């Protein structure tokens, strides 16, 4: 039996479509990184943040945090982290998480490699809050939700709010385990977030171009549709079989996955969001590939 897919798509000409529940809300997981990168870059445009100056008391820059080239390790490599999540224990305080994770040491000197790090994006979230002196969700409202009229997309910060999401397993998960925070919303609004970015509603053209410059990471991935793949500033970018360039982000948590991508090479460029259950991002990515091929 195929997994349940909840999806929404919109093309440059304005065609839309959807499958599954239009009102269901889902955890966005690592699509939150794209939102964080957009907000950070908007603050760079306004002179609040500096993209390339070393951060206070650090040797890495905001650009390196956004690109996963700072050399930071990740807490998801810790067996104790996965055991604690599975046991439904309260999340560790961030300082405790960092003490545990940083025992691994830096993986490489900043700018001298690439390694995916949720810790890096936790630091970005902290930086946004300290530089604006506002809660992150308030900053998201100003810089993302209001410009794009996203009424259903918010940071779900408590077990009580997370329990209202579509997947029943959400009631047994504390979103505090996502240290960079976890946006949640509908499939439609996930697609509109990426569409709004590439329609030019959020960033200046030069900033968007900078965001999309990807560090190349290789070719095909097992059971996933990528033929080449890389990472920009909060964006996964590469090529997918038979459909060309794909730019966006995939996300995965303990019980659900998603893929949200813009396909600029199509005759009618499309933005598609797909959400499903399970833990394999490739399932969502392969469904997004099927949908974009059917739109051609």
């Amino acid at each position: 039996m195929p997994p349940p897919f909840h999806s929404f798509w919109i093309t440059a000409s304005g065609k839309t479509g959807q499958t599954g529940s239009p009102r269901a809300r889902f955890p966005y997981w690592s699509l939150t990184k794209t939102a964080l990168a957009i907000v950070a870059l908007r603050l760079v445009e306004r002179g609040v943040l500096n993209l390339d100056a070393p951060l206070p008391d650090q040797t890495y820059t905001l650009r390196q945090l956004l690109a996963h080239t700072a050399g930071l390790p990740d807490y998801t490599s810790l067996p104790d982290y996965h055991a604690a999540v599975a046991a439904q224990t309260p999340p560790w305080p961030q300082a405790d998480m960092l003490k545990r994770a940083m025992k691994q040491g830096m993986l490489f000197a900043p700018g001298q490699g690439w390694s995916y790090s949720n810790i890096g994006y936790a630091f970005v979230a902290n930086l946004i809050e300290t530089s604006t002196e506002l809660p992150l969700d308030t900053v998201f409202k100003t810089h993302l939700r209001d410009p794009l009229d996203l009424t259903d997309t918010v940071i779900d910060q408590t077990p009580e709010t997370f329990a209202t999401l579509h997947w029943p397993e959400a009631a047994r998960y504390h979103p505090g385990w996502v240290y960079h925070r976890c946006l949640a919303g509908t499939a439609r609004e996930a697609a509109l977030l990426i569409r709004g970015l590439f329609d030019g509603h959020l960033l200046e053209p030069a900033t968007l171009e900078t965001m999309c410059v990807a560090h190349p990471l290789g070719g095909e991935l097992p059971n996933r549709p990528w033929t080449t793949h890389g990472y920009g500033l909060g964006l996964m970018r590469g090529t997918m079989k038979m459909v060309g360039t794909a730019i966006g982000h995939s996300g995965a948590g303990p019980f659900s996955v998603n893929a949200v991508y813009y396909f600029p090479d199509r005759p009618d460029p499309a933005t598609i969001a797909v959400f499903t259950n399970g833990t394999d991002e490739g399932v969502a990515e392969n469904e997004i590939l099927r949908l974009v091929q059917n739109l051609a």
Side-chain angles (χ1 to χ4, degrees):
M1 184 176 180
F5 290 112
H6 301 263
S7 60
F8 182 88
W9 59 89
I10 183 167
T11 71
S13 66
K15 297 176 183 176
T16 63
Q18 63 185 37
T19 64
S21 173
R23 295 301 305 161
R25 296 179 67 250
F26 309 94
Y28 285 1
W29 302 124
S30 283
L31 180 62
T32 307
K33 292 182 175 70
T34 303
L36 285 165
I38 293 168
V39 170
L41 290 170
R42 282 173 65 94
L43 294 175
V44 168
E45 290 180 339
R46 288 154 179 76
V48 177
L49 296 177
N50 187 303
L51 192 58
D52 290 308
L55 295 175
D57 301 318
Q58 302 296 341
T59 57
Y60 48 75
T61 66
L62 174 59
R63 184 193 297 270
Q64 290 164 341
L65 290 178
L66 295 175
H68 296 296
T69 59
L72 291 163
D74 198 7
Y75 57 81
T76 60
S77 63
L78 301 174
D80 287 352
Y81 166 79
H82 294 283
V85 172
Q88 300 179 43
T89 62
W92 304 326
Q94 188 171 112
D96 186 16
M97 176 275 289
L98 290 174
K99 183 178 179 180
R100 294 168 184 252
M102 294 307 294
K103 286 181 179 179
Q104 302 170 95
M106 294 292 284
L107 304 182
F108 47 82
Q112 300 304 305
W114 188 92
S115 186
Y116 195 86
S117 176
N118 288 287
I119 289 176
Y121 271 81
F123 288 165
V124 172
N126 295 346
L127 182 63
I128 289 171
E129 289 190 319
T130 56
S131 65
T132 61
E133 299 183 337
L134 292 168
L136 186 61
D137 198 53
T138 301
V139 184
F140 276 178
K141 182 178 187 300
T142 299
H143 289 281
L144 290 179
R145 286 162 34 208
D146 286 353
L148 300 179
D149 194 26
L150 305 179
T151 58
D152 292 320
T153 301
V154 296
I155 298 174
D156 277 342
Q157 303 183 74
T158 68
E160 292 75 21
T161 57
F162 220 68
T164 67
L165 300 183
H166 178 73
W167 308 113
E169 294 89 346
R172 300 189 293 274
Y173 182 82
H174 196 308
W177 284 113
V178 184
Y179 287 94
H180 60 66
R181 261 52 79 72
C182 185
L183 279 171
T186 62
R188 174 181 176 273
E189 292 201 355
L192 293 180
L193 171 61
I194 296 299
R195 174 185 168 90
L197 173 64
F198 288 101
D199 277 356
H201 297 313
L202 298 173
L203 297 175
E204 297 295 329
T207 307
L208 178 57
E209 183 177 356
T210 295
M211 187 179 186
C212 291
V213 174
H215 180 97
L217 297 173
E220 295 185 5
L221 294 171
N223 303 315
R224 297 174 72 170
W226 299 98
T227 52
T228 64
H229 65 286
Y231 202 94
L233 304 184
L235 288 171
M236 298 169 67
R237 177 173 186 164
T239 55
M240 289 190 183
K241 300 171 184 175
M242 298 172 284
V243 297
T245 302
I247 317 173
H249 218 293
S250 302
F255 54 85
S256 69
V257 293
N258 61 67
V260 188
Y261 286 91
Y262 171 59
F263 296 90
D265 297 342
R266 308 309 292 156
D268 188 7
T271 307
I272 306 177
V274 169
F275 292 79
T276 190
N277 56 1
T279 58
D280 184 356
E281 291 169 302
V283 173
E285 292 171 350
N286 283 310
E287 174 65 6
I288 217 172
L289 176 65
R290 186 189 72 80
L291 289 172
V292 74
Q293 288 177 302
N294 287 343
L295 291 176

